[in-house]
Amino acid sequence: MTAPGLTISYHPPFSASSPGELYQWLGHALLLVPGGVLLGLSVVHWGSGPAVRLWRRLEGLTAQEKTAGALLVGVVAFLAARIGRAVFLLDRAFTDDEQAARFGGQVLASGRVLVKLTDPIEAFPTLFFYVRDGMGSSFEWLGLQLAWAFGELTGTGSLVFSLAAAVPAVAVAWVVTRRLGAAWGAVAALLVLLSPMSALLSMTSHAHLLSRAALSVAVVFYLQAEEKGGRWWTWFGAMGGVAFLCRPFESLFFLAPFYLWVLWRLVRRELPVGACLGGLVLGWAPALVAFLAFNHAVTGDALLPARVSMYTFPAKLSAHDGSLWERFGGNTSYNALMLGVWFLGPVGMLLVGAGASWDRLTKLLLLSVLSLLGLGLFHDNHGIHSVGPIHYSECVPALALVAVHGLKRLVDVARKAELPRATVMAGVLGALVVGLGILGARNALSLREQARIHESMDAFVNDAGLGRAVVLAPQYGVAWNQVPAFRKVGSFVFEWAPPRPDQDQDVIVLHDGPGFAEKLRPQFPDRRFFRMVPGKSPDPFRLVPLDSGPAPATATDEGAR
């Protein structure tokens, strides 16, 4: 009688959780998890035989078959990300910074780092932009813009992000296969694929996908470097540099425990100083040079990235820096809770706890997660949680590696206690498959609802038959909020997609303002001008021509109605 339902909405502040979300999380923990355990146990009597045969077959794979299996895992992860993006995100941005990053990639693809914007500058959609002297581009990190530049030059768009989404599952499977066997490697890959924060983020085009992929490969190269030394230290450093170009602060904090451990071993003469330290420096050099050169080209200062130029640097990372305790409560502890909800739920927390002390690697990985959580003490950007705690997405491969060791430990305990190992595996996997499957599916469907807002808005503008035109409109968030159905669902996209730097598109949407039309006409002499104004029921908007000639007919999207 008092339940608010399970509706998920997308409204600021980012850390706000709707009542429907909280009920969904409680339902997952208290109903779906135990229900999944019981469903898993119910199939043990007829499923244990085939499962044991499959397990033995996996354990007996040849080297060639293991390689083929790793490729299969990658293909599955890639297809899941690609299909999920098309079906649930409708191949659209989930947040404004994705749109700004794509614009930055388009600028780089044109051979520039900044382009001339409109005059007045207020007419151009510049959210998450760096603007200087009438020139501007995305303020995102170089690695993300390079990924979009690759998509623009090759015509593949966001494909590179789906490829990056597949890397962690393969990397985790490789590590666990070498340590515990191919069957456990398959289980580890399954944990990555089942994690809601892994699956949902993989549909997007955020920088976190790139850094997550690079850091998971960096762990692979670290293990190779410890075992074989030599050039692997260079590759370990290089992959850390790639992650740094995509998300500098997060990558450094995640890798800090590994580098401190390497330093400790160097001090104790357990590693060759020349090969190890020299290799790391050599590996990091290209990324650092690119980072400094790009900063200098954009801001004029090699040590001042565009991303932080809007803040007081380096004393603060945020213009609204709170006290240490405020940042701990509002950022670090909040995201720790979100990790508990979104990684693998309560079962995942149990598995991570059981596997934390397995060996040096699991301890380093857990320290990396804690170090990344510690970064929250230095800024107050909580981050969205609708695809999991987004700023902590790099934690998924690390937590999956720890969790699979925890599951192995529980199975070993069951064996020593003369309990059926199949029962433990069936119960755990039942909870994960059923519980996380339903939780992830419900959240994915809600993502599609907010994506329909942008599909409808795009259709209203681009399907109106305007030809080559400029539409002067209110701020995007103001526009879609005029539709009650859209306002109820909400979205984290509040700005129109910026026009391409080459303006090679039929309809360009710019901000409206006093005298903007007159000032903009000379800059777009070959285009007709229209103004978006409130419509009459049932149409939420009208497009009014601002020049002579008949106005083309406009069609209102059914979703907008």
Side-chain angles (χ1 to χ4, degrees):
M1 293 294 293
T2 60
L6 299 175
T7 300
I8 298 173
S9 57
Y10 301 84
H11 298 291
F14 292 150
S15 57
S17 302
S18 65
E21 286 182 287
L22 297 177
Y23 267 73
Q24 179 174 270
W25 297 341
L26 287 172
H28 170 246
L30 302 179
L31 176 64
L32 295 182
V33 169
V37 171
L38 293 175
L39 286 171
L41 296 178
S42 71
V43 302
V44 170
H45 68 286
W46 64 265
S48 59
V52 169
R53 290 192 293 272
L54 175 61
W55 190 274
R56 289 173 179 169
R57 177 68 183 93
L58 290 173
E59 287 297 295
L61 292 179
T62 64
Q64 269 189 329
E65 289 172 331
K66 289 178 182 178
T67 301
L71 290 174
L72 178 61
V73 167
V75 169
V76 170
F78 167 77
L79 290 177
R82 204 67 191 156
I83 295 172
R85 181 176 179 84
V87 173
F88 299 114
L89 290 186
L90 307 180
D91 203 22
R92 297 176 184 277
F94 172 56
T95 57
D96 286 297
D97 48 348
E98 292 177 88
Q99 298 187 145
R102 181 166 195 169
F103 182 86
Q106 292 167 348
V107 173
L108 289 183
S110 70
R112 296 166 289 178
V113 295
L114 296 172
V115 294
K116 181 70 175 176
L117 302 181
T118 57
D119 181 21
I121 195 70
E122 293 80 9
F124 201 91
T126 56
L127 187 58
F128 297 118
F129 267 47
Y130 172 80
V131 179
R132 184 184 69 179
D133 301 328
M135 308 287 287
S137 185
S138 171
F139 78 177
E140 284 291 354
W141 303 110
L142 175 59
L144 176 56
Q145 294 190 52
L146 285 174
W148 271 119
F150 174 82
E152 289 294 319
L153 291 171
T154 60
T156 55
S158 62
L159 183 70
V160 65
F161 295 93
S162 300
L163 291 171
V167 173
V170 178
V172 167
W174 184 91
V175 171
V176 175
T177 296
R178 286 176 59 89
R179 293 165 64 84
L180 303 178
W184 282 108
V187 172
L190 185 63
L191 295 184
V192 175
L193 295 173
L194 285 175
S195 172
M197 64 183 284
S198 174
L200 297 179
L201 180 78
S202 296
M203 304 175 191
T204 72
S205 58
H206 278 281
H208 311 67
L209 285 172
L210 306 175
S211 57
R212 188 178 72 181
L215 290 174
S216 63
V217 175
V219 172
V220 171
F221 289 166
Y222 166 77
L223 293 175
Q224 289 288 84
E226 275 210 326
E227 179 183 339
K228 301 178 181 178
R231 69 180 185 277
W232 288 105
W233 290 113
T234 303
W235 286 115
F236 175 48
M239 200 51 60
V242 170
F244 177 82
L245 288 177
C246 301
R247 298 232 300 155
F249 299 112
E250 291 79 5
S251 298
L252 287 178
F253 271 72
F254 183 91
L255 290 170
F258 286 89
Y259 288 136
L260 290 174
W261 174 247
V262 170
L263 180 62
W264 174 249
R265 295 192 66 193
L266 285 172
V267 171
R268 298 179 61 182
R269 303 292 182 180
E270 295 177 3
L271 293 172
V273 176
C276 178
L277 194 58
L280 288 174
V281 171
L282 184 62
W284 266 91
L288 289 177
V289 170
F291 180 77
L292 296 174
F294 184 69
N295 292 343
H296 184 270
V298 175
T299 68
D301 186 342
L303 298 178
L304 183 61
R307 179 89 191 215
V308 298
S309 64
M310 58 192 292
Y311 306 131
T312 305
F313 184 79
K316 292 183 179 180
L317 296 182
S318 170
H320 307 286
D321 230 2
S323 69
L324 178 65
W325 286 114
E326 287 173 335
R327 294 194 298 272
F328 175 78
N331 193 354
T332 299
S333 60
Y334 159 74
N335 279 292
L337 172 64
M338 291 297 102
L339 275 176
V341 171
W342 285 90
F343 167 57
L344 291 175
V347 175
M349 296 171 67
L350 170 66
L351 297 181
V352 169
S357 61
W358 181 275
D359 65 0
R360 185 173 66 243
L361 177 62
T362 58
K363 293 174 183 176
L364 284 173
L365 292 169
L366 201 56
L367 284 173
S368 293
V369 173
L370 295 175
S371 175
L372 193 51
L373 284 168
L375 177 60
L377 298 176
F378 300 97
H379 67 80
D380 64 355
N381 188 334
H382 314 307
I384 59 174
H385 64 267
S386 304
V387 290
I390 193 166
H391 290 330
Y392 299 87
S393 60
E394 290 90 352
C395 296
V396 170
L399 291 175
L401 284 170
V402 177
V404 75
H405 286 86
L407 181 56
K408 174 74 162 59
R409 175 165 282 170
L410 293 181
V411 169
D412 290 343
V413 169
R415 183 181 66 246
K416 291 178 182 178
E418 298 183 352
L419 296 174
R421 287 173 287 175
T423 301
V424 175
M425 290 287 287
V428 170
L429 291 179
L432 295 179
V433 172
V434 174
L436 297 176
I438 295 176
L439 179 67
R442 276 199 54 82
N443 279 280
L445 290 171
S446 74
L447 288 173
R448 187 171 64 182
E449 289 304 307
Q450 66 85 35
R452 282 176 173 160
I453 294 175
H454 315 305
E455 182 182 52
S456 298
M457 294 294 292
D458 182 70
F460 175 79
V461 173
N462 290 302
D463 295 350
L466 304 180
R468 301 276 291 179
V470 172
V471 174
L472 299 181
Q475 198 266 346
Y476 185 60
V478 174
W480 62 253
N481 262 293
Q482 294 178 17
V483 183
F486 295 170
R487 186 165 58 248
K488 181 179 179 181
V489 174
S491 173
F492 293 137
V493 179
F494 300 104
E495 188 56 282
W496 297 98
R500 292 180 57 86
D502 57 10
Q503 301 175 5
D504 184 21
Q505 59 198 87
D506 287 337
V507 180
I508 292 176
V509 182
L510 299 175
H511 291 160
D512 198 2
F516 282 13
E518 290 71 20
K519 294 179 180 179
L520 290 169
R521 282 185 190 277
Q523 302 169 53
F524 302 95
D526 61 334
R527 294 176 180 268
R528 299 185 65 193
F529 273 68
F530 295 83
R531 175 170 284 130
M532 180 183 289
V533 298
K536 296 180 180 180
S537 183
D539 298 339
F541 317 108
R542 288 186 301 127
L543 295 176
V544 178
L546 299 183
D547 46 10
S548 59
T554 60
T556 303
D557 184 87
E558 286 298 320
R561 296 191 186 189

